Amino acid sequence: MRDLVAGMRYLGKGQRWVAQHGRWWGFGLIPALIALVLYVAVLTVLALWSGDIAAWATPFADGWDEPWQGLLRGVFVALLFAGGLMLSVLTFTAVTLLIGDPFYESLSEKVEESEGNCPPSPGRPLWQEVWIALRDSVHVLLRAAGFGILLFVLGFVPFIGQTVIPAIGFCVSGFFLAVELTSVALQRRDIPVRERLRLLRGRKALAVGFGTPIVLLFLIPFIAVVLMPGAVAGATLLVRDLVDEQEPSAPEGAAAPYGQPGAPGAYGPPPAPFPPNQGPPQAPPSPRPQSGPGSSAARPPAGW
């Protein structure tokens, strides 16, 4: 419960940050507005053709009497449009982040600079950053689609499909939305997508508490555009605290946290093996044999 509340607070912190930096809020609106126009067009087409899609998908019900045919196809249309809304919420963030990758990278970096100790960018060209973001988004969306198909099928179960399953669906959508939003700050730290998922799975309640309110708010028309800059800012603040918790302060000589100089492997160069201007430590000299009367080397073996 504590993590759920903490996740909601990060959303509030992000919106408060952009409210205090109005220029960056307007800057972050541009890609969200472009994505909104695209999604309104797609959802309008889905709403107009949903009845025909339901009839095509349920040919076995053509000979059914009313009200059973209408009831079945009505449930199918409702689930289809609900699934489309859920998918649009998930993909809206991914598409908006792709369209506005340089916008949100700059916004996230500004948030970190205002908080202090901003990690350096990996220094990759823009096309490579966009390619990595696209590849990671597809990876996340495929996982989300697997859960979506399962929940869609379970939605036909009487009573549970109309009560429990939608609630679970919102929580699952909130988790994957949190994964997408935190990708900006985590990609700057050069953390791969599988490791990002592992980090957030370790704090599921925190991710769900942050992402689920955004999912619900994004269902309100045009609110996604207004909240998107603050959502990116809140996700950046969440990442800062999450990575700090995962990487506690280590003793001298230990590996540095993700994305910091001296971190091992893919997260940074390995630490210098020896102190500057010094060679490897010398082994202590082996003791010289004694030649006095107490030396065992000077005494003849027994029996001599």
Side-chain angles (χ1 to χ4, degrees), residues 126-258:
L126 178 60
W127 70 267
Q128 192 173 3
E129 292 283 350
V130 173
W131 166 249
I132 292 174
L134 176 61
R135 181 193 63 194
D136 293 349
S137 294
V138 170
H139 180 88
V140 173
L141 289 174
L142 286 176
R143 286 174 174 261
F147 283 97
I149 293 172
L150 176 62
L151 293 172
F152 180 81
V153 173
L154 292 176
F156 288 97
V157 178
F159 182 72
I160 295 177
Q162 293 76 48
T163 54
V164 178
I165 299 303
I168 295 175
F170 281 121
C171 292
V172 171
S173 299
F175 175 83
F176 285 108
L177 184 61
V179 173
E180 286 287 350
L181 288 168
T182 55
S183 65
V184 178
L186 289 172
Q187 187 173 323
R188 184 186 305 110
R189 289 164 171 81
D190 213 13
I191 301 179
V193 63
R194 294 181 187 276
E195 183 68 9
R196 298 174 208 167
L197 288 165
R198 187 194 66 80
L199 284 172
L200 291 173
R201 279 200 303 266
R203 299 289 297 278
K204 288 188 185 72
L206 182 68
V208 170
F210 176 74
T212 303
I214 302 177
V215 171
L216 296 173
L217 290 170
F218 276 15
L219 296 176
I220 304 173
F222 307 110
I223 199 69
V225 177
V226 177
L227 294 182
M228 191 64 186
V232 173
T236 302
L237 296 172
L238 185 151
V239 166
R240 288 175 61 86
D241 293 343
L242 181 62
V243 171
D244 286 345
E245 290 175 4
Q246 293 292 325
E247 294 290 334
S249 57
E252 184 178 358
Y258 294 124

Side-chain angles (χ1 to χ4, degrees), residues 1-173:
M1 182 60 71
R2 180 182 301 176
D3 271 358
L4 281 172
V5 175
M8 297 176 190
R9 286 176 179 167
Y10 281 112
L11 177 59
K13 289 178 182 179
Q15 301 303 325
R16 186 162 55 249
W17 190 94
V18 294
Q20 296 170 352
H21 302 78
R23 184 173 69 89
W24 287 98
W25 176 74
F27 184 73
L29 286 180
I30 298 173
L33 285 169
I34 297 172
L36 177 65
V37 173
L38 296 175
Y39 275 87
V40 168
V42 171
L43 288 175
T44 301
V45 170
L46 179 63
L48 293 175
W49 290 87
S50 59
D52 294 334
I53 295 173
W56 169 81
T58 57
F60 55 86
D62 289 341
W64 289 13
D65 296 329
E66 293 294 342
W68 305 115
Q69 183 191 80
L71 181 62
L72 173 68
R73 290 179 174 171
V75 170
F76 186 93
V77 167
L79 290 173
L80 179 65
F81 197 74
L85 282 175
M86 182 182 297
L87 186 62
S88 67
V89 169
L90 288 173
T91 57
F92 178 86
T93 302
V95 171
T96 305
L97 290 174
L98 285 174
I99 294 172
D101 185 79
F103 293 84
Y104 293 127
E105 175 63 32
S106 299
L107 172 61
S108 178
E109 186 173 354
K110 187 65 178 179
V111 173
E112 301 228 46
E113 288 176 354
S114 69
E115 296 294 316
N117 192 25
C118 176
S121 174
R124 290 185 286 259
L126 178 60
W127 70 267
Q128 192 173 3
E129 292 283 350
V130 173
W131 166 249
I132 292 174
L134 176 61
R135 181 193 63 194
D136 293 349
S137 294
V138 170
H139 180 88
V140 173
L141 289 174
L142 286 176
R143 286 174 174 261
F147 283 97
I149 293 172
L150 176 62
L151 293 172
F152 180 81
V153 173
L154 292 176
F156 288 97
V157 178
F159 182 72
I160 295 177
Q162 293 76 48
T163 54
V164 178
I165 299 303
I168 295 175
F170 281 121
C171 292
V172 171
S173 299

